[in-house]
Amino acid sequence: MRCVIARFPFDLSKSGVVASMKGVKPEPIVGESVQIGRRHFPVKQVGEVITRQDRRDFSAQEVIRAMTRLGFTCHDLAEPAPARVLTPLQSASALLGTPAPAPA
């Protein structure tokens, strides 16, 4: 599929993007992300790898638009981990605190 990123046309395919990102370690996600396989990558990292351009040359929205058209799942912001729900016993234990060590 023909996509324009940073005013340059690219012929991208889903399998080509997957192959390009194979072996690339995902950077920490602080903004938009793309799910490629089971891994989540920052949008700018994906754009840099598939276009071989500097990240400052294109916007995240250009990459999101291209990845969405190719069928990848894109996420707007890094979603926080769900808060851990404590059982009643764990809540009571947390309120009571830990026992003090016995004097020697």
Side-chain angles (χ1 to χ4, degrees):
M1 173 183 308
R2 194 159 193 80
C3 301
V4 177
I5 300 174
R7 299 182 309 273
F8 290 99
F10 293 94
D11 287 320
L12 300 175
S13 66
K14 188 169 185 172
S15 61
V17 171
V18 171
S20 295
M21 297 307 293
K22 189 172 186 171
V24 176
K25 183 180 177 190
E27 296 172 357
I29 298 170
V30 293
E32 296 91 351
S33 65
V34 178
Q35 183 176 351
I36 300 175
R38 292 181 299 186
R39 302 167 96 184
H40 291 263
F41 293 91
V43 170
K44 289 282 201 163
Q45 181 184 14
V46 173
E48 184 177 48
V49 171
I50 63 173
T51 65
R52 296 184 188 99
Q53 294 181 343
D54 190 273
R55 295 175 188 206
R56 295 172 289 184
D57 294 340
F58 54 86
S59 71
Q61 289 304 314
E62 290 176 298
V63 179
I64 288 174
R65 202 169 19 252
M67 295 297 105
T68 302
R69 286 179 57 202
L70 288 172
F72 292 103
T73 303
C74 298
H75 302 281
D76 287 337
L77 296 174
E79 297 159 1
R84 190 174 144 211
V85 178
L86 299 177
T87 65
L89 178 62
Q90 292 171 327
S91 298
S93 296
L95 290 172
L96 292 173
T98 56

Coordinates of all heavy atoms in Angstrom, one line a residue:
M1 N 0.8 -1.2 0.0 CA 0.0 0.0 0.0 C 0.9 1.2 0.0 O 1.9 1.3 0.7 CB -0.9 0.0 1.3 CG -1.7 1.2 1.4 SD -2.6 1.3 2.9 CE -3.5 -0.2 2.8
R2 N 0.5 2.2 -0.8 CA 1.3 3.4 -0.9 C 0.9 4.4 0.2 O -0.3 4.7 0.3 CB 1.1 4.1 -2.3 CG 2.1 5.1 -2.6 CD 2.1 5.3 -4.1 NE 3.2 6.0 -4.6 CZ 4.4 5.6 -4.9 NH1 4.7 4.4 -4.5 NH2 5.3 6.3 -5.4
C3 N 1.9 4.8 1.0 CA 1.6 5.7 2.1 C 2.6 6.9 2.0 O 3.8 6.7 1.6 CB 1.8 5.1 3.5 SG 0.8 3.6 3.7
V4 N 2.2 8.1 2.4 CA 3.0 9.2 2.3 C 3.4 9.6 3.8 O 2.5 9.9 4.6 CB 2.3 10.4 1.6 CG1 3.2 11.7 1.7 CG2 2.0 10.1 0.2
I5 N 4.6 9.6 4.1 CA 5.1 10.0 5.4 C 6.3 11.0 5.2 O 7.2 10.7 4.4 CB 5.6 8.8 6.2 CG1 4.5 7.7 6.4 CG2 6.2 9.2 7.5 CD1 4.9 6.4 7.0
A6 N 6.1 12.1 5.8 CA 7.1 13.2 5.7 C 7.3 13.6 4.2 O 8.4 13.8 3.7 CB 8.5 12.8 6.3
R7 N 6.2 13.7 3.5 CA 6.2 14.1 2.1 C 6.9 13.2 1.1 O 7.1 13.5 0.0 CB 6.7 15.5 1.9 CG 5.9 16.6 2.7 CD 6.5 18.0 2.5 NE 7.9 18.1 2.7 CZ 8.5 18.4 3.9 NH1 7.7 18.5 5.0 NH2 9.8 18.5 4.0
F8 N 7.2 12.0 1.6 CA 7.8 10.9 0.7 C 6.9 9.7 0.6 O 6.4 9.3 1.6 CB 9.2 10.5 1.3 CG 10.2 11.5 1.3 CD1 10.5 12.3 2.4 CD2 10.9 11.8 0.1 CE1 11.5 13.3 2.3 CE2 11.9 12.7 0.0 CZ 12.2 13.5 1.2
P9 N 6.7 9.2 -0.6 CA 5.8 8.0 -0.7 C 6.6 6.8 -0.4 O 7.8 6.6 -0.7 CB 5.5 8.1 -2.2 CG 6.6 8.8 -2.9 CD 7.1 9.8 -1.9
F10 N 5.9 5.9 0.3 CA 6.5 4.6 0.7 C 5.5 3.5 0.3 O 4.3 3.6 0.5 CB 6.7 4.5 2.2 CG 7.8 5.4 2.7 CD1 7.5 6.7 3.2 CD2 9.1 5.0 2.6 CE1 8.5 7.5 3.6 CE2 10.1 5.9 3.1 CZ 9.8 7.1 3.6
D11 N 6.0 2.4 -0.3 CA 5.2 1.2 -0.5 C 5.3 0.3 0.6 O 6.4 -0.4 0.8 CB 5.6 0.5 -1.8 CG 5.2 1.3 -3.1 OD1 4.0 1.9 -3.0 OD2 6.0 1.4 -4.0
L12 N 4.3 0.3 1.5 CA 4.4 -0.5 2.7 C 3.4 -1.7 2.7 O 2.4 -1.6 2.1 CB 4.1 0.3 4.0 CG 5.0 1.5 4.2 CD1 4.4 2.3 5.4 CD2 6.4 1.1 4.5
S13 N 3.8 -2.8 3.3 CA 2.9 -3.9 3.5 C 2.9 -4.3 4.9 O 3.9 -4.1 5.6 CB 3.3 -5.1 2.6 OG 4.5 -5.6 3.0
K14 N 1.9 -5.0 5.4 CA 1.8 -5.4 6.8 C 3.0 -6.4 7.1 O 3.7 -6.2 8.1 CB 0.5 -6.0 7.1 CG 0.3 -6.3 8.5 CD -1.1 -6.7 8.9 CE -1.3 -6.9 10.4 NZ -2.7 -7.0 10.8
S15 N 3.2 -7.3 6.2 CA 4.3 -8.3 6.4 C 5.7 -7.6 6.4 O 6.6 -8.0 7.1 CB 4.2 -9.4 5.4 OG 4.3 -8.9 4.1
G16 N 5.8 -6.6 5.5 CA 7.1 -5.9 5.5 C 7.4 -5.1 6.7 O 8.5 -5.0 7.2
V17 N 6.3 -4.5 7.3 CA 6.5 -3.8 8.6 C 6.8 -4.8 9.7 O 7.8 -4.5 10.5 CB 5.2 -3.0 9.0 CG1 5.3 -2.4 10.4 CG2 5.0 -1.9 7.9
V18 N 6.2 -5.9 9.7 CA 6.5 -6.9 10.8 C 7.9 -7.4 10.6 O 8.6 -7.5 11.6 CB 5.5 -8.1 10.6 CG1 5.9 -9.3 11.5 CG2 4.1 -7.7 11.0
A19 N 8.3 -7.6 9.4 CA 9.7 -8.1 9.2 C 10.7 -7.0 9.6 O 11.8 -7.3 10.1 CB 9.9 -8.4 7.7
S20 N 10.4 -5.7 9.3 CA 11.3 -4.6 9.7 C 11.5 -4.5 11.2 O 12.5 -4.2 11.7 CB 10.8 -3.3 9.1 OG 10.8 -3.3 7.7
M21 N 10.4 -4.7 11.9 CA 10.4 -4.6 13.3 C 10.9 -5.8 14.1 O 11.0 -5.8 15.3 CB 9.0 -4.2 13.8 CG 8.5 -2.8 13.3 SD 9.6 -1.5 13.6 CE 9.6 -1.3 15.3
K22 N 11.1 -6.9 13.4 CA 11.5 -8.1 14.0 C 12.9 -7.9 14.5 O 13.8 -7.4 13.8 CB 11.5 -9.3 13.0 CG 11.8 -10.6 13.6 CD 11.6 -11.7 12.6 CE 11.7 -13.1 13.4 NZ 11.3 -14.2 12.5
G23 N 13.1 -8.2 15.8 CA 14.4 -8.1 16.4 C 14.7 -6.7 17.0 O 15.7 -6.5 17.5
V24 N 13.7 -5.8 16.8 CA 13.9 -4.4 17.3 C 13.3 -4.4 18.7 O 12.2 -4.9 18.9 CB 13.2 -3.4 16.4 CG1 13.2 -2.0 17.1 CG2 13.8 -3.4 15.1
K25 N 14.1 -3.9 19.7 CA 13.6 -3.9 21.1 C 12.7 -2.6 21.3 O 13.1 -1.5 20.9 CB 14.8 -3.8 22.0 CG 14.4 -3.8 23.5 CD 15.6 -3.7 24.4 CE 15.1 -3.6 25.8 NZ 16.3 -3.3 26.7
P26 N 11.5 -2.8 21.8 CA 10.6 -1.6 22.0 C 11.2 -0.7 23.0 O 11.7 -1.1 24.0 CB 9.3 -2.2 22.4 CG 9.4 -3.7 22.1 CD 10.8 -4.1 22.1
E27 N 11.1 0.6 22.7 CA 11.5 1.6 23.7 C 10.3 1.8 24.6 O 9.2 1.4 24.3 CB 11.8 2.9 22.9 CG 13.0 2.8 22.0 CD 13.2 4.0 21.1 OE1 12.4 5.0 21.2 OE2 14.1 4.0 20.3
P28 N 10.6 2.5 25.8 CA 9.5 2.8 26.7 C 8.4 3.7 26.0 O 8.8 4.6 25.2 CB 10.2 3.6 27.8 CG 11.6 3.2 27.7 CD 11.9 2.9 26.3
I29 N 7.2 3.4 26.2 CA 6.1 4.1 25.6 C 5.6 5.2 26.5 O 5.3 5.0 27.7 CB 4.9 3.1 25.3 CG1 5.4 2.1 24.3 CG2 3.7 3.9 24.7 CD1 4.4 0.9 24.1
V30 N 5.7 6.5 25.9 CA 5.2 7.6 26.7 C 4.1 8.3 26.0 O 3.5 9.3 26.5 CB 6.3 8.6 27.0 CG1 7.4 8.0 27.9 CG2 7.0 9.0 25.7
G31 N 3.7 7.9 24.8 CA 2.7 8.6 24.0 C 1.9 7.5 23.2 O 1.6 6.4 23.7
E32 N 1.7 7.8 21.9 CA 1.0 6.9 21.0 C 1.9 5.7 20.8 O 3.1 5.7 20.8 CB 0.8 7.6 19.7 CG -0.2 8.8 19.8 CD 0.5 10.1 20.0 OE1 1.7 10.1 20.2 OE2 -0.1 11.1 19.9
S33 N 1.2 4.6 20.6 CA 1.9 3.3 20.3 C 1.2 2.5 19.2 O 0.0 2.7 18.9 CB 2.0 2.5 21.6 OG 0.7 2.1 22.0
V34 N 1.9 1.5 18.7 CA 1.4 0.6 17.7 C 1.7 -0.8 18.2 O 2.8 -1.1 18.6 CB 2.1 0.8 16.3 CG1 1.6 -0.1 15.3 CG2 2.0 2.2 15.8
Q35 N 0.7 -1.7 18.0 CA 0.9 -3.1 18.4 C 1.3 -3.8 17.1 O 0.5 -3.9 16.2 CB -0.4 -3.6 19.0 CG -0.2 -5.1 19.4 CD -1.5 -5.6 20.1 OE1 -2.4 -4.9 20.4 NE2 -1.5 -6.9 20.3
I36 N 2.5 -4.4 17.2 CA 3.0 -5.2 16.1 C 3.2 -6.6 16.6 O 4.2 -6.7 17.4 CB 4.2 -4.6 15.4 CG1 3.9 -3.2 14.9 CG2 4.8 -5.5 14.3 CD1 5.0 -2.4 14.3
G37 N 2.4 -7.5 16.2 CA 2.5 -8.9 16.8 C 2.0 -8.8 18.3 O 0.9 -8.2 18.5
R38 N 2.8 -9.2 19.2 CA 2.4 -9.2 20.6 C 3.1 -8.0 21.3 O 2.9 -7.8 22.5 CB 2.8 -10.5 21.3 CG 2.0 -11.6 20.9 CD 2.4 -12.9 21.6 NE 3.8 -13.2 21.4 CZ 4.4 -14.3 21.8 NH1 3.7 -15.2 22.5 NH2 5.7 -14.5 21.5
R39 N 3.9 -7.2 20.6 CA 4.7 -6.1 21.2 C 4.1 -4.8 20.9 O 3.5 -4.6 19.8 CB 6.1 -6.2 20.7 CG 6.7 -7.6 21.0 CD 8.0 -7.8 20.3 NE 9.1 -7.4 21.2 CZ 10.4 -7.4 20.8 NH1 10.7 -7.7 19.6 NH2 11.3 -7.1 21.6
H40 N 4.3 -3.8 21.8 CA 3.8 -2.5 21.6 C 5.1 -1.6 21.4 O 6.0 -1.6 22.2 CB 3.0 -2.0 22.8 CG 1.7 -2.6 22.9 ND1 0.6 -2.1 22.5 CD2 1.4 -3.8 23.4 CE1 -0.4 -2.9 22.7 NE2 0.0 -4.0 23.3
F41 N 5.1 -0.8 20.3 CA 6.2 0.1 20.0 C 5.7 1.5 20.0 O 4.6 1.8 19.6 CB 6.7 -0.2 18.6 CG 7.4 -1.6 18.5 CD1 6.7 -2.7 18.1 CD2 8.8 -1.7 18.7 CE1 7.3 -3.9 18.0 CE2 9.4 -2.9 18.5 CZ 8.6 -4.0 18.2
P42 N 6.6 2.5 20.4 CA 6.2 3.9 20.2 C 6.1 4.2 18.7 O 6.8 3.6 17.9 CB 7.4 4.6 20.8 CG 8.1 3.6 21.7 CD 7.8 2.3 21.1
V43 N 5.1 5.0 18.3 CA 4.8 5.3 16.9 C 6.1 5.9 16.3 O 6.4 5.5 15.1 CB 3.7 6.3 16.9 CG1 3.5 6.8 15.5 CG2 2.4 5.6 17.3
K44 N 6.8 6.8 16.9 CA 8.0 7.4 16.3 C 9.1 6.4 16.0 O 9.8 6.5 15.1 CB 8.5 8.5 17.2 CG 7.6 9.7 17.2 CD 7.7 10.5 16.0 CE 7.3 12.0 16.2 NZ 7.8 12.9 15.1
Q45 N 9.2 5.4 16.9 CA 10.2 4.3 16.7 C 9.9 3.5 15.5 O 10.8 3.3 14.6 CB 10.3 3.4 17.9 CG 11.4 2.3 17.8 CD 11.4 1.4 18.9 OE1 10.5 1.3 19.8 NE2 12.5 0.6 19.0
V46 N 8.6 3.2 15.3 CA 8.2 2.4 14.1 C 8.4 3.2 12.9 O 9.0 2.7 11.9 CB 6.7 2.0 14.2 CG1 6.2 1.4 12.9 CG2 6.5 1.1 15.4
G47 N 8.1 4.5 12.9 CA 8.3 5.4 11.7 C 9.7 5.5 11.4 O 10.1 5.5 10.2
E48 N 10.6 5.6 12.4 CA 12.0 5.7 12.1 C 12.6 4.5 11.4 O 13.4 4.5 10.5 CB 12.7 6.0 13.4 CG 14.2 6.2 13.2 CD 14.9 6.6 14.6 OE1 14.6 5.9 15.6 OE2 15.6 7.6 14.6
V49 N 12.1 3.3 11.9 CA 12.6 2.0 11.4 C 12.1 1.8 10.0 O 12.9 1.4 9.1 CB 12.2 0.9 12.3 CG1 12.5 -0.5 11.7 CG2 12.9 1.0 13.6
I50 N 10.8 2.0 9.7 CA 10.3 1.7 8.4 C 10.6 2.7 7.3 O 10.7 2.4 6.1 CB 8.8 1.4 8.4 CG1 8.0 2.7 8.8 CG2 8.4 0.2 9.3 CD1 6.5 2.5 8.7
T51 N 10.9 4.0 7.7 CA 11.2 5.0 6.7 C 12.7 5.3 6.6 O 13.1 5.9 5.7 CB 10.5 6.3 7.0 OG1 11.0 6.9 8.2 CG2 9.0 6.1 7.1
R52 N 13.4 4.9 7.6 CA 14.9 5.2 7.7 C 15.1 6.7 7.8 O 16.1 7.2 7.2 CB 15.6 4.5 6.6 CG 15.6 3.0 6.7 CD 16.5 2.4 5.6 NE 16.2 1.0 5.6 CZ 15.5 0.4 4.7 NH1 14.8 1.1 3.8 NH2 15.3 -0.9 4.7
Q53 N 14.2 7.4 8.3 CA 14.3 8.9 8.5 C 14.4 9.3 9.9 O 14.0 8.5 10.8 CB 13.1 9.6 7.9 CG 12.9 9.5 6.4 CD 11.7 10.2 5.8 OE1 10.8 10.6 6.6 NE2 11.7 10.4 4.5
D54 N 14.9 10.5 10.2 CA 14.9 11.0 11.5 C 13.5 11.2 12.1 O 12.6 11.6 11.3 CB 15.7 12.3 11.6 CG 16.0 12.7 13.0 OD1 15.2 13.4 13.6 OD2 17.1 12.4 13.5
R55 N 13.3 11.0 13.4 CA 12.0 11.1 14.0 C 11.4 12.5 13.9 O 10.2 12.7 13.9 CB 12.0 10.7 15.4 CG 12.4 9.3 15.6 CD 12.5 9.0 17.1 NE 13.0 7.6 17.2 CZ 12.8 6.8 18.3 NH1 12.2 7.3 19.3 NH2 13.3 5.6 18.3
R56 N 12.3 13.5 13.7 CA 11.8 14.9 13.7 C 11.3 15.2 12.3 O 10.6 16.3 12.1 CB 13.0 15.8 14.0 CG 13.4 15.7 15.4 CD 14.7 16.5 15.7 NE 15.8 15.8 15.0 CZ 17.0 16.2 15.0 NH1 17.4 17.2 15.7 NH2 18.0 15.5 14.4
D57 N 11.5 14.3 11.3 CA 11.0 14.6 9.9 C 9.5 14.3 9.7 O 9.0 14.6 8.7 CB 11.9 13.8 8.9 CG 13.3 14.3 8.9 OD1 13.5 15.5 9.4 OD2 14.2 13.6 8.4
F58 N 8.9 13.5 10.6 CA 7.5 13.2 10.4 C 6.7 13.3 11.7 O 7.3 13.3 12.8 CB 7.4 11.7 9.8 CG 8.1 10.7 10.7 CD1 7.5 10.1 11.7 CD2 9.4 10.3 10.3 CE1 8.2 9.2 12.5 CE2 10.1 9.4 11.1 CZ 9.5 8.8 12.2
S59 N 5.4 13.3 11.6 CA 4.6 13.4 12.8 C 4.1 12.0 13.2 O 4.0 11.1 12.3 CB 3.4 14.3 12.5 OG 2.5 13.7 11.6
A60 N 3.7 11.9 14.4 CA 3.2 10.6 14.9 C 1.9 10.3 14.2 O 1.6 9.1 13.9 CB 2.9 10.7 16.4
Q61 N 1.1 11.3 13.8 CA -0.2 11.1 13.2 C 0.0 10.5 11.8 O -0.8 9.7 11.3 CB -1.0 12.4 13.1 CG -1.5 12.9 14.4 CD -2.4 11.8 15.1 OE1 -3.2 11.2 14.5 NE2 -2.1 11.6 16.4
E62 N 1.0 10.9 11.1 CA 1.3 10.3 9.7 C 1.5 8.8 9.9 O 1.0 8.0 9.1 CB 2.5 11.0 9.1 CG 2.3 12.4 8.7 CD 3.6 13.0 8.1 OE1 4.6 13.1 8.9 OE2 3.6 13.4 6.9
V63 N 2.3 8.4 10.9 CA 2.6 7.0 11.1 C 1.4 6.2 11.5 O 1.1 5.1 11.1 CB 3.8 6.8 12.1 CG1 4.1 5.3 12.3 CG2 5.0 7.5 11.6
I64 N 0.6 6.8 12.4 CA -0.6 6.2 12.9 C -1.6 6.0 11.8 O -2.2 4.9 11.6 CB -1.3 7.0 14.0 CG1 -0.5 7.0 15.3 CG2 -2.7 6.6 14.3 CD1 -1.0 7.9 16.4
R65 N -1.7 7.0 10.9 CA -2.6 6.8 9.7 C -2.2 5.7 8.9 O -3.0 4.8 8.4 CB -2.6 8.2 9.0 CG -3.8 8.4 8.1 CD -3.9 9.8 7.6 NE -2.7 10.6 7.6 CZ -2.5 11.7 8.4 NH1 -3.4 12.0 9.3 NH2 -1.4 12.4 8.3
A66 N -0.9 5.6 8.6 CA -0.3 4.5 7.7 C -0.5 3.1 8.4 O -1.0 2.2 7.7 CB 1.1 4.8 7.4
M67 N -0.2 3.0 9.7 CA -0.3 1.7 10.4 C -1.7 1.3 10.5 O -2.0 0.1 10.4 CB 0.3 1.8 11.8 CG 1.8 2.1 11.8 SD 2.8 0.8 11.0 CE 3.2 1.6 9.4
T68 N -2.7 2.2 10.7 CA -4.1 1.9 10.8 C -4.6 1.4 9.4 O -5.3 0.4 9.4 CB -4.9 3.1 11.2 OG1 -4.4 3.5 12.5 CG2 -6.4 2.8 11.4
R69 N -4.2 2.0 8.4 CA -4.6 1.6 7.0 C -4.0 0.2 6.7 O -4.6 -0.6 5.9 CB -4.1 2.6 6.0 CG -4.9 3.8 6.0 CD -4.4 4.8 4.9 NE -4.4 4.3 3.6 CZ -3.7 4.7 2.6 NH1 -2.9 5.8 2.7 NH2 -3.8 4.2 1.4
L70 N -2.9 -0.2 7.3 CA -2.3 -1.5 7.1 C -2.9 -2.6 8.0 O -2.7 -3.7 7.8 CB -0.8 -1.5 7.3 CG 0.1 -0.7 6.3 CD1 1.5 -0.6 6.7 CD2 0.0 -1.4 4.9
G71 N -3.7 -2.1 9.0 CA -4.4 -3.1 9.8 C -3.8 -3.3 11.2 O -4.2 -4.2 11.9
F72 N -2.9 -2.5 11.6 CA -2.3 -2.6 12.9 C -3.2 -1.8 13.9 O -3.9 -0.9 13.6 CB -0.9 -2.0 13.0 CG 0.1 -2.8 12.2 CD1 0.6 -2.4 10.9 CD2 0.6 -4.0 12.7 CE1 1.5 -3.1 10.2 CE2 1.5 -4.7 12.0 CZ 2.0 -4.3 10.7
T73 N -3.1 -2.2 15.2 CA -3.9 -1.6 16.2 C -3.0 -0.5 16.8 O -1.9 -0.7 17.2 CB -4.3 -2.5 17.3 OG1 -5.0 -3.6 16.8 CG2 -5.1 -1.9 18.4
C74 N -3.5 0.8 16.9 CA -2.8 1.9 17.4 C -3.5 2.4 18.7 O -4.7 2.3 18.8 CB -2.8 3.1 16.4 SG -1.9 2.6 14.9
H75 N -2.7 2.8 19.6 CA -3.2 3.3 20.9 C -2.8 4.8 21.1 O -1.7 5.1 20.8 CB -2.7 2.5 22.1 CG -3.1 1.0 21.9 ND1 -4.3 0.5 22.3 CD2 -2.3 0.0 21.5 CE1 -4.3 -0.8 22.0 NE2 -3.1 -1.1 21.6
D76 N -3.7 5.6 21.6 CA -3.5 7.0 21.7 C -2.4 7.3 22.7 O -1.4 8.0 22.5 CB -4.7 7.8 22.1 CG -5.7 7.9 20.9 OD1 -5.2 7.8 19.7 OD2 -6.9 8.1 21.1
L77 N -2.6 6.9 24.0 CA -1.6 7.2 25.0 C -1.3 5.9 25.8 O -2.1 4.9 25.7 CB -2.2 8.2 26.0 CG -2.4 9.6 25.4 CD1 -3.1 10.5 26.5 CD2 -1.1 10.2 25.0
A78 N -0.2 5.9 26.4 CA 0.2 4.7 27.3 C -0.9 4.6 28.4 O -1.1 5.5 29.1 CB 1.5 4.9 27.9
E79 N -1.6 3.5 28.4 CA -2.6 3.3 29.4 C -2.0 2.8 30.7 O -1.2 1.9 30.7 CB -3.6 2.3 28.8 CG -4.3 2.8 27.6 CD -4.9 1.7 26.8 OE1 -4.8 0.5 27.1 OE2 -5.5 2.0 25.7
P80 N -2.3 3.4 31.8 CA -1.8 2.9 33.1 C -2.2 1.5 33.4 O -3.3 1.1 33.0 CB -2.3 4.0 34.1 CG -3.5 4.5 33.5 CD -3.3 4.4 32.0
A81 N -1.4 0.9 34.2 CA -1.7 -0.5 34.6 C -2.9 -0.4 35.6 O -3.0 0.5 36.3 CB -0.5 -1.1 35.3
P82 N -3.8 -1.4 35.5 CA -4.9 -1.4 36.4 C -4.5 -1.5 37.8 O -3.6 -2.1 38.2 CB -5.8 -2.6 35.9 CG -4.8 -3.5 35.2 CD -3.8 -2.6 34.6
A83 N -5.2 -0.7 38.7 CA -4.9 -0.8 40.1 C -5.2 -2.2 40.6 O -6.2 -2.8 40.3 CB -5.8 0.3 40.8
R84 N -4.4 -2.6 41.5 CA -4.5 -3.9 42.1 C -5.6 -3.9 43.1 O -5.6 -3.0 44.0 CB -3.2 -4.3 42.8 CG -3.2 -5.8 43.2 CD -1.8 -6.2 43.7 NE -2.0 -7.1 44.8 CZ -1.3 -7.3 45.8 NH1 -0.2 -6.5 45.9 NH2 -1.5 -8.1 46.7
V85 N -6.6 -4.8 43.0 CA -7.7 -4.9 44.0 C -7.3 -5.8 45.1 O -6.9 -7.0 44.8 CB -9.0 -5.3 43.2 CG1 -10.1 -5.5 44.2 CG2 -9.3 -4.4 42.1
L86 N -7.4 -5.3 46.3 CA -7.1 -6.2 47.5 C -8.3 -6.9 48.0 O -9.4 -6.4 47.9 CB -6.5 -5.3 48.6 CG -5.2 -4.5 48.3 CD1 -4.9 -3.6 49.5 CD2 -4.1 -5.4 47.9
T87 N -8.0 -8.1 48.5 CA -9.1 -8.9 49.1 C -9.3 -8.3 50.5 O -8.5 -7.5 51.0 CB -8.7 -10.4 49.2 OG1 -7.6 -10.5 50.1 CG2 -8.3 -11.0 47.9
P88 N -10.5 -8.6 51.1 CA -10.7 -8.0 52.5 C -9.6 -8.4 53.4 O -9.2 -7.6 54.3 CB -12.0 -8.7 52.9 CG -12.7 -8.9 51.6 CD -11.6 -9.3 50.6
L89 N -9.0 -9.6 53.3 CA -8.0 -10.0 54.2 C -6.7 -9.2 54.0 O -6.0 -8.8 54.9 CB -7.7 -11.5 54.0 CG -6.5 -12.1 54.9 CD1 -6.9 -12.0 56.4 CD2 -6.3 -13.6 54.5
Q90 N -6.4 -9.0 52.7 CA -5.2 -8.2 52.4 C -5.4 -6.7 52.8 O -4.4 -6.1 53.3 CB -4.9 -8.2 50.9 CG -4.5 -9.6 50.4 CD -4.4 -9.6 48.9 OE1 -5.2 -9.0 48.2 NE2 -3.5 -10.4 48.3
S91 N -6.6 -6.2 52.7 CA -6.9 -4.8 53.2 C -6.7 -4.7 54.7 O -6.1 -3.8 55.2 CB -8.3 -4.4 52.8 OG -8.5 -4.4 51.4
A92 N -7.2 -5.7 55.4 CA -7.1 -5.7 56.9 C -5.6 -5.8 57.3 O -5.1 -5.1 58.2 CB -7.9 -6.8 57.5
S93 N -4.9 -6.7 56.6 CA -3.4 -6.8 56.9 C -2.7 -5.6 56.6 O -1.8 -5.2 57.4 CB -2.8 -8.0 56.1 OG -3.4 -9.2 56.4
A94 N -3.0 -4.9 55.6 CA -2.3 -3.6 55.2 C -2.6 -2.5 56.3 O -1.7 -1.7 56.6 CB -2.8 -3.1 53.8
L95 N -3.9 -2.5 56.8 CA -4.2 -1.5 57.8 C -3.5 -1.8 59.1 O -3.1 -0.9 59.8 CB -5.7 -1.5 58.0 CG -6.6 -0.9 56.9 CD1 -8.0 -1.2 57.2 CD2 -6.3 0.5 56.7
L96 N -3.3 -3.1 59.5 CA -2.7 -3.4 60.7 C -1.2 -3.2 60.6 O -0.5 -3.1 61.6 CB -3.0 -4.9 61.1 CG -4.5 -5.1 61.5 CD1 -4.7 -6.6 61.7 CD2 -4.8 -4.3 62.8
G97 N -0.6 -3.3 59.5 CA 0.9 -3.2 59.3 C 1.6 -4.5 59.5 O 1.0 -5.5 59.8
T98 N 2.9 -4.4 59.5 CA 3.7 -5.6 59.7 C 4.1 -5.7 61.2 O 4.2 -4.7 61.9 CB 4.9 -5.6 58.9 OG1 5.7 -4.4 59.2 CG2 4.6 -5.6 57.4
P99 N 4.2 -6.9 61.8 CA 4.6 -7.0 63.2 C 6.0 -6.5 63.4 O 6.9 -6.7 62.6 CB 4.4 -8.5 63.5 CG 4.4 -9.2 62.2 CD 4.0 -8.1 61.2
A100 N 6.2 -5.9 64.5 CA 7.6 -5.4 64.9 C 8.4 -6.6 65.3 O 7.9 -7.6 65.8 CB 7.5 -4.5 66.1
P101 N 9.7 -6.6 65.0 CA 10.6 -7.7 65.4 C 10.6 -7.9 66.9 O 10.6 -6.9 67.7 CB 11.9 -7.4 64.8 CG 11.9 -5.9 64.5 CD 10.4 -5.5 64.4
A102 N 10.7 -9.1 67.4 CA 10.8 -9.4 68.8 C 12.1 -8.9 69.4 O 13.1 -9.0 68.7 CB 10.6 -10.9 69.0
P103 N 12.1 -8.3 70.6 CA 13.3 -7.8 71.2 C 14.2 -9.0 71.5 O 13.8 -10.1 71.9 CB 12.9 -7.1 72.5 CG 11.5 -7.5 72.7 CD 10.9 -8.0 71.5
A104 N 15.5 -8.7 71.4 CA 16.5 -9.8 71.7 C 16.9 -9.9 73.1 O 16.9 -9.1 73.9 CB 17.7 -9.6 70.7

